[in-house]
Amino acid sequence: MKRNPILRMSMLLGLLLLFPLMLLGGGYWMILHMPGASYRGDPPALDEGARALRDRLHDHVLQLAGEIGERHYWHPDELHAAADYIEHAFREAGHEPLRQAVPTGNREFHNVEVRLPGERQGAEVLVVGAHYDTVRGSPGADDNASGVAVLLELARLLQDVTLDRSLHLVAFVNEEMPFFGTDAMGSLRYARQAREEGVEITGMISLEMLGYYTDAPGSQYHPPLLGHFYPDRGDFVAFIGNLSSRSLVRQVIGAFRESARVPSEGLAAPELIGDIRRSDHWAFWEMGYPAMMITDTANFRNPHYHGPEDTPERLDYDTMARVTEGLASALEAMARR
């Protein structure tokens, strides 16, 4: 997950003016209200299948953030190794991956994709993606080996599911600065090509940091003003989009809450809240597609964000397994409607 502090002050000033007006004008229902109810209470112990899922998630994160480590333009061998690992994991899950070249300076990297075709409404596509690069100086366990691990296991869990709509699972390269928003950003290249080819993307979901959870009081922070409406414990997963993607956010979190045993919170907000733009879903907004991210909220919770201590042993793999199971059920439901 990239972070651009340059725009934050102007966005904050605009937010301080706009947000109270929206809430007073009935904006609460547009911005904060979500269908279903967040899970509460202690979840049951993982069953045998969920324990195996947890162990596979752990293995993916260990490989990406432990064995490979930092992976970015300045460590090109590691970035290529991560793409190779992702491709191999997709194959092991029963898929035939595709690669999309992403020229970057004097080098070339790749998005790695698998496609699960729909049968009755196959032209309609739901895209789920996660970036596999890191910032310099960080092994990137939470940011974003965790999101990639969930992506890989979604491919496994959904491999034999019959779908009406098509589902594309994509590992994106070059989300982090300085490539965010440039032609070398993997998700922007993907979204732009989809728009040029007339692909009917009905929604895009970015899996952005899904491994860090804590129920300690005061462990969760929020952008200005939002702390009045959301918990102060970092034990939930957040579903976040802009106002144009409100319907998608509500659909995804509603489907997730039908089966997931993980607390969840939702937000569909004006883009003046700059923090809601900080992942690959932004690229799809730029191309006119509805898009959102699912996240553990990054630096608003994880003290090791973008640092050398963002390492595999700091993640909560039991919760990651529950999130993955909930997302698999939600995606299956959405692709069957």
Side-chain angles (χ1 to χ4, degrees), residues 191 194-196 198-202 245 284-291:
R195 177 56 72 193
E196 291 171 353
V199 179
E200 187 181 352
I201 295 176
T202 58
S245 304
F284 291 78
W285 291 350
E286 288 294 291
M287 294 298 113
Y289 292 119

Side-chain angles (χ1 to χ4, degrees), residues 73-140:
Y73 179 85
W74 296 271
H75 283 190
D77 292 343
E78 287 79 4
L79 196 53
H80 287 304
D84 291 342
Y85 176 79
I86 291 164
E87 182 174 18
H88 176 73
F90 276 146
R91 289 187 191 280
E92 279 201 328
H95 303 280
E96 188 58 41
L98 306 170
R99 288 202 181 209
Q100 179 189 39
V102 182
T104 310
N106 62 350
R107 301 189 174 107
E108 183 176 274
F109 303 109
H110 295 88
N111 296 327
V112 186
E113 176 185 24
V114 296
R115 298 180 179 180
L116 286 67
E119 295 189 353
R120 290 189 294 178
Q121 298 166 274
E124 297 181 9
V125 177
L126 180 62
V127 177
V128 181
H131 74 89
Y132 64 91
D133 59 310
T134 70
V135 295
R136 284 190 278 186
S138 177

Side-chain angles (χ1 to χ4, degrees), residues 259-292:
S259 65
R261 294 176 174 178
V262 180
S264 55
E265 301 292 341
L267 174 70
E271 290 183 51
L272 279 171
I273 304 178
D275 288 300
I276 74 169
R277 305 168 60 184
R278 290 168 45 193
S279 191
D280 290 299
H281 60 294
W282 169 86
F284 291 78
W285 291 350
E286 288 294 291
M287 294 298 113
Y289 292 119
M292 58 174 290

Side-chain angles (χ1 to χ4, degrees), residues 32-222:
L32 304 174
H33 184 260
M34 295 291 149
S38 175
Y39 184 83
R40 292 291 180 260
D42 295 328
L46 299 180
D47 61 22
E48 182 179 356
R51 291 195 300 272
L53 171 60
R54 173 197 62 197
D55 294 343
R56 291 194 301 269
L57 291 165
H58 183 236
D59 289 345
H60 293 318
V61 174
L62 272 181
Q63 185 64 35
L64 290 166
E67 294 298 320
I68 295 174
E70 298 186 42
R71 44 203 184 275
H72 47 66
Y73 179 85
W74 296 271
H75 283 190
D77 292 343
E78 287 79 4
L79 196 53
H80 287 304
D84 291 342
Y85 176 79
I86 291 164
E87 182 174 18
H88 176 73
F90 276 146
R91 289 187 191 280
E92 279 201 328
H95 303 280
E96 188 58 41
L98 306 170
R99 288 202 181 209
Q100 179 189 39
V102 182
T104 310
N106 62 350
R107 301 189 174 107
E108 183 176 274
F109 303 109
H110 295 88
N111 296 327
V112 186
E113 176 185 24
V114 296
R115 298 180 179 180
L116 286 67
E119 295 189 353
R120 290 189 294 178
Q121 298 166 274
E124 297 181 9
V125 177
L126 180 62
V127 177
V128 181
H131 74 89
Y132 64 91
D133 59 310
T134 70
V135 295
R136 284 190 278 186
S138 177
D142 197 21
D143 190 11
N144 189 34
S146 65
V148 174
V150 172
L151 183 76
L152 295 175
E153 289 307 309
L154 289 174
R156 182 185 297 272
L157 292 172
L158 297 170
Q159 195 268 337
D160 294 322
V161 173
T162 300
L163 305 175
D164 294 328
R165 298 185 174 97
S166 295
L167 180 62
H168 293 184
L169 307 176
V170 194
F172 294 118
V173 74
N174 294 345
E175 185 266 359
E176 297 288 2
M177 297 295 284
F179 301 112
F180 191 97
T182 74
D183 288 340
M185 184 182 184
S187 55
L188 186 57
R189 176 167 288 268
Y190 183 98
R192 182 178 290 128
Q193 180 174 318
R195 177 56 72 193
E196 291 171 353
E197 294 177 354
V199 179
E200 187 181 352
I201 295 176
T202 58
M204 185 275 175
I205 300 169
S206 177
L207 307 177
E208 180 63 78
M209 302 183 63
L210 290 173
Y212 194 88
Y213 302 92
T214 172
D215 60 1
S219 58
Q220 180 69 51
Y221 301 90
H222 302 277

